[in-house]
Amino acid sequence: LEVVPQFIDKGNTLGVLMTKLSVLPEEVIAIGDGVCDVTMLQLAGVGIAMGNAEDSVKACVDKTTLTNEEEGVAIAVERAILAEIRPAEVPLDQLNMRARHALMGNLGIQYTYASEDRVEATMPVDERTRQPFGILHGGATLALAETVAGLGSMILAKPDEIVVGMQVSGNHMSSAHEGDTVRAVGTIIHKGRSSHVWNVDVFTSTDKLVSSIRVVNSILKKK
């Protein structure tokens, strides 16, 4: 039993909220399961009924999700919002900012490009990433490759999946010297349901190939 003031319902309350926030109906998704939710579901650009909703409610909406016992709201959010995020919209500046205190930031790694099949990043050859005698440390190069492949797999993974590194191996063909900035280019060569395989080539600023690295990521379902 829900008790509300006369002439007040979820639909006109949503309307007031949209006006205050300057939000258009097509920018709103509403999820409900009861008859009292119908006006709200019809006002929203996308109305989604829970799987346990009455048939009269389901008849008034655009989509139906699973029941409340099957995490129907989470599924609706994943399908209607998260699945719509495109690789071109990946906020590289935000990713770089958030990682400034992690390994990536400590090594000076910066993402510069990201798509579904290619990711690029740069890393300076300085006191953080060089060997004592002034050339790029192989371990830092592998960390750069894993960073690039990790983002690539995260772009490809579904909303209910996580990415963990499984294997990394590389061949170092030449050196990069202190003061230079190397560029890593990662391309996916295998996209499986449970694993991704990436090839990451690392170049100097003059496009000399320094290392070629193979990274294998495991794709796991969130628990």
Side-chain angles (χ1 to χ4, degrees):
L1 176 65
E2 295 188 25
V3 179
V4 295
Q6 190 175 14
F7 307 120
I8 298 296
D9 60 29
K10 294 184 179 181
N12 55 36
T13 301
L14 175 60
V16 171
L17 181 61
M18 290 165 51
T19 299
K20 287 183 176 294
L21 298 176
S22 299
V23 174
L24 299 174
E26 53 266 34
E27 299 176 289
V28 176
I29 295 175
I31 305 173
D33 61 0
V35 175
C36 62
D37 297 325
V38 169
T39 55
M40 173 186 69
L41 294 170
Q42 292 180 324
L43 178 61
V46 177
I48 303 175
M50 297 294 292
N52 53 285
E54 297 180 17
D55 290 341
S56 60
V57 177
K58 293 178 180 179
C60 301
V61 298
D62 304 292
K63 301 178 181 181
T64 300
T65 185
L66 300 181
T67 69
N68 56 349
E69 295 182 348
E70 298 172 302
E71 300 184 347
V73 172
I75 297 299
V77 170
E78 289 173 353
R79 291 176 178 174
I81 301 176
L82 299 181
E84 293 299 316
I85 298 176
R86 299 288 183 252
E89 300 171 354
V90 175
L92 298 182
D93 54 341
Q94 293 183 30
L95 290 176
N96 291 331
M97 180 65 67
R98 291 175 182 175
R100 66 188 186 279
H101 297 306
L103 174 66
M104 174 181 157
N106 290 332
L107 295 180
I109 298 173
Q110 293 276 296
Y111 293 120
T112 56
Y113 178 83
S115 69
E116 288 189 342
D117 56 4
R118 189 168 111 250
V119 177
E120 296 186 14
T122 60
M123 182 178 70
V125 184
D126 56 20
E127 68 279 358
R128 298 169 292 180
T129 60
R130 63 168 173 77
Q131 296 182 2
F133 35 92
I135 64 173
L136 179 62
H137 195 293
T141 308
L142 295 180
L144 172 62
E146 284 203 89
T147 300
V148 165
L151 176 60
S153 287
M154 284 188 285
I155 291 173
L156 294 171
K158 298 177 182 177
D160 63 341
E161 294 175 335
I162 60 173
V163 177
V164 295
M166 187 175 0
Q167 182 180 0
V168 58
S169 59
N171 295 309
H172 305 306
M173 275 74 76
S174 61
S175 59
H177 295 271
E178 186 170 12
D180 199 359
T181 296
V182 293
R183 175 174 60 95
V185 179
T187 54
I188 190 163
I189 57 178
H190 170 72
K191 180 187 175 184
R193 287 181 296 179
S194 60
S195 66
H196 295 165
V197 181
W198 289 80
N199 182 77
V200 183
D201 289 329
V202 179
F203 302 91
T204 65
S205 59
T206 57
D207 286 333
K208 180 179 68 173
L209 181 62
V210 176
S211 303
S212 186
I213 302 160
R214 185 65 53 88
V215 180
V216 181
N217 290 326
S218 180
I219 312 303
L220 305 175
K221 290 292 184 181
K222 294 179 182 178
K223 296 182 179 180

